Amino acid sequence: MNHIKSYISEHKNRFLNELIELLKIPSISADSAYKNDVLKTADAIKISLEKAGCNTVEICKTEGYPIVYGEKTIDKNLPTVLVYGHYDVQPPDPINLWNSPPFEPVIKKTDKHPDGAIFARGACDDKGQMYMHVKAMEFMTSTNQLPCNVKFMIEGEEEVGSANLATFVKNNQEKLKNDVILISDTGMIANDVPSITTGLRGLSYVEVEVTGPNRDLHSGLYGGAVANPINILTKMIASLHDENNHITIPGFYDQVENLSTEERAEMAKAPFSLENYKKALDIDAVYGEAGYTTNERNSIRPTLDVNGIWGGYTGEGAKTVIASKAYAKISMRLVPHQDWVEITELFKTHFENIAPKGVKIKVTPHHGGQGYVTPITGIGYQAASKAYQDTFGKTPIPQRSGGSIPIVALFEQELKSKTILMGFGLDSDAIHSPNEHFGVWNYLKGIETIPYFYKYFTELSK
Ligand code: BES
Ligand code: MN
Ligand code: MN
């Protein structure tokens, strides 16, 4: 790639300012109060794709938020890269924990980002990472170095489960035909330890409701004589893990793939400091499934976590009451071969089975999706690896992530192509948290690395 470094340093300020403008729009897909902002973001992406050199760009309507689709075909005989990303963001709450307003981006230096990082909701997940692809495209088209065909598919509902994208993909297989899918919506180990994500976990998200008596009761008059839904719910939840922190749902582990000693030894080579990990989170010990390391617990092992729990009186002071109902939201992260629909069913049956007499149980499944593993032997991974070698000066480490992008498994099923996950964020970038940020260095490194992927993928396709 000729002149990529000089192109980036020449246009660096504009690249940052354009991203900052995008980050100012609060495209929160989960909250309907922000509907116009989500739609406005789609329009802004359309314009940026046109400016970056796409021939056709359309806003594809769905039953929810639109998908921005753009393409540039230079030669039907050359390979096609399909870029996927999302322009929606998570809600910024709790807002009072932000050091600067979530939709007023500022650049500040941090320990991990001595060149500065952009602080804003969506900076890393995923506006910043998605926009690297738009700027890489601009570089390739404006310097006549685009080596193959490109398609962009940027959605606005990733953070709420991508239900309408699934329909769009199923109905547009010909339009979306490609040789490889490229996504930057994950992370890497450290700026001096580049890694490529080779796996994502699946997800099953459920909500449970425990109902006891038909109304709230005086905890003195009735306490001890009827089932208290909050007591029962917490007891039921506690029983979902045994003393070794294994999940107790019958059949839960049946399909879990057990990695060989060699594969686990390979994984353990990735640099990791338990001391720094604990220090960064201000915890005096890690916690998890017996027999597995921290890195295994959050990547190759399935988990079950309560994400929210409520019921009864939580206002100021004390109120002596037994609530009629108690609730919890529970996520299960799944590993390849665990089917999310089956796991959801196993959970429901088990949760209903363990409930004592005296309460009623309701389990409501939310969204879910399958896990994904990408082979490191394919030309997609090879092209990505060579690209990192050129721009980081090091061979990237393949690493399975604990996060989920459920649509990736559907891409493989419907479009029959593999996904390469070139993520440039760091775990410490606080995605979904207050003070989310994305390193300026990471942003520019992404823009620099992406064109090499196109180059090597095209070469290796011959
Ligand atoms: N980009 C994340 C997923 C991610 C982050 C994967 C870092 C690997 C490393 C994505 O936007 C996300 O938040 N996914 C959700 C699931 C979705 C169905 C809401 C998740 O993982 O909780
Ligand atoms: Mn994301
Ligand atoms: Mn996210």
Side-chain angles (χ1 to χ4, degrees), residues 86 125 158-159 185-186 203 333 367 401 403-406 431-432:
H86 62 95
D125 183 11
E158 196 276 341
E159 300 291 7
D185 193 22
T186 55
L203 180 70
R333 295 283 167 173
H367 52 67
S401 171
S404 308
I405 310 177
I431 62 171
H432 293 204

Side-chain angles (χ1 to χ4, degrees), residues 7 64 68 77 140 160 165 175 183 254 298 303 316-317 321 343 395 407 413 437 441:
Y7 190 90
V68 189
N77 297 315
M140 292 185 288
V160 290
L165 180 68
K175 181 190 186 99
I183 304 181
D254 283 3
N298 67 22
T303 57
E316 200 183 327
V321 67
I343 293 290
T395 304
I407 202 71
Q413 186 193 312
H437 55 279
W441 185 89

Side-chain angles (χ1 to χ4, degrees), residues 18-72:
E18 287 176 10
L19 174 57
I20 285 169
E21 287 308 308
L22 205 56
L23 290 167
K24 286 182 186 169
I25 320 175
S27 50
I28 308 166
S29 51
D31 188 342
S32 58
Y34 294 88
K35 187 173 177 202
N36 287 335
D37 292 301
V38 185
L39 296 172
K40 208 172 124 189
T41 311
D43 292 335
I45 309 271
K46 175 175 187 269
I47 294 168
S48 69
L49 282 173
E50 284 162 351
K51 283 191 182 153
C54 285
N55 295 137
T56 46
V57 186
E58 5 161 17
I59 299 233
C60 305
K61 290 208 167 71
T62 71
E63 278 178 27
Y65 288 121
I67 294 154
V68 189
Y69 178 81
E71 63 175 58
K72 186 174 178 76

Side-chain angles (χ1 to χ4, degrees), residues 320-362:
T320 49
V321 67
I322 292 173
S324 164
K325 286 175 187 286
Y327 307 83
K329 291 187 193 278
I330 297 173
S331 69
M332 288 165 277
R333 295 283 167 173
L334 311 175
V335 296
H337 309 312
Q338 278 184 300
D339 180 75
W340 79 273
V341 179
E342 197 180 312
I343 293 290
T344 307
E345 212 37 57
L346 289 178
F347 176 91
K348 187 171 186 288
T349 307
H350 180 66
F351 211 69
E352 286 164 356
N353 282 343
I354 61 174
K357 284 210 169 88
V359 295
K360 293 186 206 73
I361 302 291
K362 196 164 119 195

Side-chain angles (χ1 to χ4, degrees), residues 242-411:
D242 69 14
E243 65 283 2
N244 290 315
N245 283 318
H246 291 305
I247 294 156
T248 56
I249 300 169
F252 187 84
Y253 291 100
D254 283 3
Q255 311 301 327
V256 171
E257 149 198 58
N258 285 311
L259 268 67
S260 65
T261 321
E262 291 75 32
E263 284 173 294
R264 290 177 69 183
E266 197 53 44
M267 271 189 73
K269 284 187 192 156
F272 175 72
S273 155
L274 193 58
E275 276 322 300
N276 290 347
Y277 187 84
K278 290 190 288 187
K279 214 169 125 199
L281 301 176
D282 194 17
I283 49 177
D284 59 7
V286 290
Y287 186 91
E289 190 181 6
Y292 295 93
T293 65
T294 296
N295 277 335
E296 290 173 338
R297 287 170 179 167
N298 67 22
S299 64
I300 59 162
R301 298 299 295 168
T303 57
L304 182 152
D305 278 290
V306 179
N307 292 236
I309 183 162
W310 69 103
Y313 184 70
T314 57
E316 200 183 327
K319 179 187 178 193
T320 49
V321 67
I322 292 173
S324 164
K325 286 175 187 286
Y327 307 83
K329 291 187 193 278
I330 297 173
S331 69
M332 288 165 277
R333 295 283 167 173
L334 311 175
V335 296
H337 309 312
Q338 278 184 300
D339 180 75
W340 79 273
V341 179
E342 197 180 312
I343 293 290
T344 307
E345 212 37 57
L346 289 178
F347 176 91
K348 187 171 186 288
T349 307
H350 180 66
F351 211 69
E352 286 164 356
N353 282 343
I354 61 174
K357 284 210 169 88
V359 295
K360 293 186 206 73
I361 302 291
K362 196 164 119 195
V363 176
T364 312
H366 280 266
H367 52 67
Q370 311 296 69
Y372 182 73
V373 189
T374 196
I376 63 170
T377 46
I379 61 167
Y381 186 89
Q382 295 305 322
S385 180
K386 281 163 83 77
Y388 282 60
Q389 284 167 45
D390 283 0
T391 59
F392 286 79
K394 284 181 183 171
T395 304
I397 298 171
Q399 200 199 31
R400 288 215 209 167
S401 171
S404 308
I405 310 177
I407 202 71
V408 172
L410 187 113
F411 286 160

